[in-house]
Amino acid sequence: MKILILGAGQVGGTLAENLANEANDITVIDSDGARLRELQDRLDIRTVQGKASFPTVLRQAGAEDADILIAVTNSDETNMVGCQVTKLLYKTPTTICRVRANAYLARSELFYQRDKEKDLDSLRGFPIDVLISPEHLVTKHITRLIEYPGALQVLEFSKGLVRLVAIRATQGGPLVGHELSYLRTHMPRIETRVAAIFRKDRAIMPQGDTVIEDGDEVFFIAGADHIRSVMSELQPLVKPYKRIFICGGGNIGQRLAKTLESRYQVKLLEQDHDRCVMLSENLRKTVVLEGNAANKDILLEENIENTDVFCAVTNDDEANIMASLLAKRLGARKVFTLINNPDYVDLIQGGDIDVAISPQQTTIGSLLTHVRRGDVVNVHSLRRGAAEAIEAIAHGDHRSSKVVGKRLDEINLPEGTTIGAIVRHNEVLIAHDHLRVQPDDHVILFLVDKSRVRDVEKLFQVGLTFF
């Protein structure tokens, strides 16, 4: 596919890397020549220097025959205008736009695509096919981690019917030190499948005789109602969280407080006085505090030692890390830290900081969903982009499809790929060898090695059709 990426920042660069490795024709536009040169030295891509929303720059980049435009510059306005220009002048089939500011997101009529009443192709508002809000995605990600205490990652498939959970196996969990087959005898009524195990950063494809060791990062798939039962097998059951302390009252902090305040006791700490006033007017139950999170006295005054989860979500990575380390030292039970610099994520996760949250990785998965071939409806990027979980729909019949009509053990899956579950007519079927794939099944796959994604897409393509 021919893909235009506006913006060579962290998301644009990571996205270009992901897609270039999958044999797509990628062009990146940015005004920063040094950044473009650095990308071009590493990747097999074209780059164009200039203002990403200018028609001349877009034409030079090949907008006339692009299949997809992905706008991820640091400016919402440039992203929105870039989408409008390519749609109006060059009829680009799919436009994907990252918008951060709540002022735009709150007005959904800005993004109407067609005048449905008159059924005209006259465009009203910004013609954006897919709108992506990193703040919304990060808030959702943190909320799920709070709902499932002890989880490292919780990902949804098929409108939340199935979840993939990453959890660190800990001494004291009944399954730790036992073979995986023990899970079925110990919990005969719970349907689950372990999709992958990472031990000391090395992937292990799970078999019935694989022994779970203390410290393993285990990815398992189960129906939404069975998640807690399976988690309790892998680590001692963690008490539900009650008290949440949010550091940083920006877009993410505000959105997170609003999402959580009806179910948890939430405190929000923000430095800027005017922002504090605005937050206290807009949040109903959250206690808004003015001050600096690096100030030990404020944290002690607010009983940080009784806090279940401390979330540092300011725009400053260093401030987030320092505040998190201080909160942990003063007795906060769990610490979640927002990290924009991908190089920091591996450095800090798993020490004093329990979960490092990367907005880039959260956003990348959402963007990849719309770029995949075959009818792929969900993509989640895992382990900082090394692995991937995919939800694909099986189409066709036993003659035109490589999966429909076949038993799972008959499907020729690429190496390092497992099928975790199938969702059929809103019913969750955990994968077993004897299960047959039927037309319109939603198949959930786990890829330990992301470079195999093209082979998986080919499996789900009917004949030569691209969806």
Side-chain angles (χ1 to χ4, degrees):
M1 282 197 282
K2 186 158 186 191
I3 301 169
L4 270 189
I5 299 175
L6 311 188
Q10 278 166 351
V11 170
T14 311
L15 193 59
E17 195 169 336
N18 272 281
L19 296 171
N21 291 341
E22 294 166 20
N24 292 296
D25 180 359
I26 309 292
T27 305
V28 179
I29 304 176
D30 200 282
S31 49
D32 182 347
R35 171 69 177 150
L36 290 176
R37 278 191 298 280
E38 188 234 311
L39 279 179
Q40 212 165 10
D41 289 346
R42 277 192 304 120
L43 307 171
D44 179 18
I45 58 170
R46 260 189 83 216
T47 60
V48 173
Q49 187 177 354
K51 178 91 170 153
S53 56
F54 283 4
T56 48
V57 174
L58 286 163
R59 192 176 73 241
Q60 191 189 339
E64 287 156 316
D65 55 352
D67 299 304
I68 297 179
L69 173 106
I70 303 173
V72 286
T73 72
N74 289 329
S75 156
D76 285 352
E77 293 75 16
T78 301
N79 293 343
M80 286 150 63
V81 172
C83 287
Q84 187 155 32
V85 170
T86 49
K87 202 71 150 179
L88 287 173
L89 296 186
Y90 307 117
K91 307 287 184 282
T92 306
T94 306
T95 53
I96 301 173
C97 185
R98 177 177 71 177
V99 176
R100 284 198 169 117
N102 227 17
Y104 294 129
L105 294 168
R107 306 301 297 265
S108 59
E109 64 270 25
L110 278 174
F111 307 105
Y112 274 167
Q113 208 183 339
R114 283 184 173 81
D115 190 334
K116 292 182 181 70
E117 286 167 26
K118 296 177 186 168
D119 198 27
L120 293 173
D121 266 11
S122 59
L123 293 161
R124 288 172 45 195
F126 289 96
I128 292 165
D129 297 306
V130 182
L131 193 61
I132 284 177
S133 156
E135 280 78 8
H136 171 68
L137 295 169
V138 168
T139 303
K140 214 166 147 189
H141 179 54
I142 297 174
T143 305
R144 284 200 219 106
L145 293 178
I146 289 171
E147 286 168 355
Y148 293 103
L152 297 171
Q153 211 168 0
V154 181
L155 307 168
E156 286 186 350
F157 296 95
S158 287
K159 302 190 175 83
L161 288 172
V162 183
R163 294 193 175 158
L164 173 72
V165 178
I167 184 171
R168 189 155 321 278
T170 313
Q171 206 63 53
L175 191 58
V176 179
H178 287 87
E179 293 183 349
L180 276 178
S181 52
Y182 172 76
L183 185 62
R184 183 158 292 277
T185 49
H186 193 228
M187 304 176 79
R189 289 200 179 84
I190 301 291
E191 283 281 327
T192 183
R193 185 175 176 105
V194 173
I197 297 166
F198 287 87
R199 184 173 297 159
K200 299 187 175 73
D201 279 340
R202 198 170 57 83
I204 296 170
M205 295 310 289
Q207 309 292 334
D209 57 359
T210 306
V211 175
I212 300 278
E213 293 181 10
D214 182 34
D216 283 355
E217 194 175 328
V218 180
F219 284 85
F220 71 85
I221 287 176
D225 8 345
H226 293 158
I227 297 293
R228 282 191 177 83
S229 311
V230 182
M231 285 178 72
S232 68
E233 290 294 297
L234 291 160
Q235 53 178 226
L237 200 56
V238 182
K239 278 198 327 221
Y241 300 140
K242 281 188 195 159
R243 299 178 191 85
I244 315 294
F245 195 107
I246 300 168
C247 162
N251 288 340
I252 293 176
Q254 181 182 2
R255 204 183 261 267
L256 191 58
K258 210 179 188 77
T259 307
L260 298 173
E261 63 181 359
S262 58
R263 293 174 289 159
Y264 302 90
Q265 297 168 27
V266 181
K267 289 180 179 178
L268 191 155
L269 183 65
E270 166 59 43
Q271 251 181 305
D272 183 78
H273 174 74
D274 294 338
R275 185 79 185 164
C276 282
V277 173
M278 187 279 286
L279 289 166
S280 57
E281 287 167 357
N282 284 294
L283 296 168
R284 289 175 50 229
K285 292 184 173 177
T286 301
V287 177
V288 179
L289 309 162
E290 186 181 340
N292 187 338
N295 184 333
K296 186 176 167 183
D297 297 334
I298 290 180
L299 296 181
L300 288 170
E301 213 172 284
E302 295 303 327
N303 304 320
I304 193 72
E305 70 279 5
N306 297 328
T307 297
D308 293 317
V309 181
F310 179 89
C311 299
V313 291
T314 73
N315 289 329
D316 182 332
D317 284 357
E318 285 78 7
N320 287 344
I321 293 168
M322 296 314 290
S324 300
L325 293 173
L326 181 61
K328 190 72 170 183
R329 199 140 296 168
L330 296 175
R333 216 171 112 196
K334 288 280 179 194
V335 172
F336 299 166
T337 311
L338 190 74
I339 303 289
N340 285 294
N341 183 342
D343 297 336
Y344 286 178
V345 176
D346 289 337
L347 281 176
I348 64 162
Q349 175 151 325
D352 281 348
I353 288 169
D354 297 290
V355 182
I357 291 153
S358 160
Q360 282 79 17
Q361 284 308 326
T362 314
T363 309
I364 292 286
S366 191
L367 288 165
L368 289 176
T369 302
H370 305 286
V371 179
R372 290 275 175 257
R373 288 175 172 157
D375 201 354
V376 172
V377 287
N378 242 318
V379 175
H380 290 292
S381 191
L382 308 163
R383 291 192 58 81
R384 272 72 77 200
E388 210 165 270
I390 290 179
E391 176 182 349
I393 302 176
H395 289 291
D397 54 30
H398 67 280
R399 287 184 300 276
S400 61
S401 164
K402 292 175 186 163
V403 293
V404 173
K406 286 194 165 69
R407 284 168 39 128
L408 295 191
D409 56 359
E410 294 169 350
I411 296 171
N412 187 15
L413 288 171
E415 197 184 328
T417 305
T418 48
I419 291 178
I422 287 175
V423 178
R424 183 177 296 157
H425 310 307
N426 287 338
E427 185 193 351
V428 179
L429 307 168
I430 296 299
H432 295 295
D433 286 349
H434 61 269
L435 201 58
R436 278 189 195 277
V437 178
Q438 294 182 8
D440 300 325
D441 278 356
H442 286 237
V443 182
I444 291 133
L445 303 107
F446 190 99
L447 288 80
V448 162
D449 177 4
K450 203 186 103 13
S451 65
R452 299 282 183 170
V453 80
R454 179 62 75 238
D455 302 330
V456 173
E457 288 175 2
K458 282 179 186 161
L459 271 182
F460 284 86
Q461 283 172 1
V462 180
L464 293 170
T465 313
F466 292 152
F467 290 88

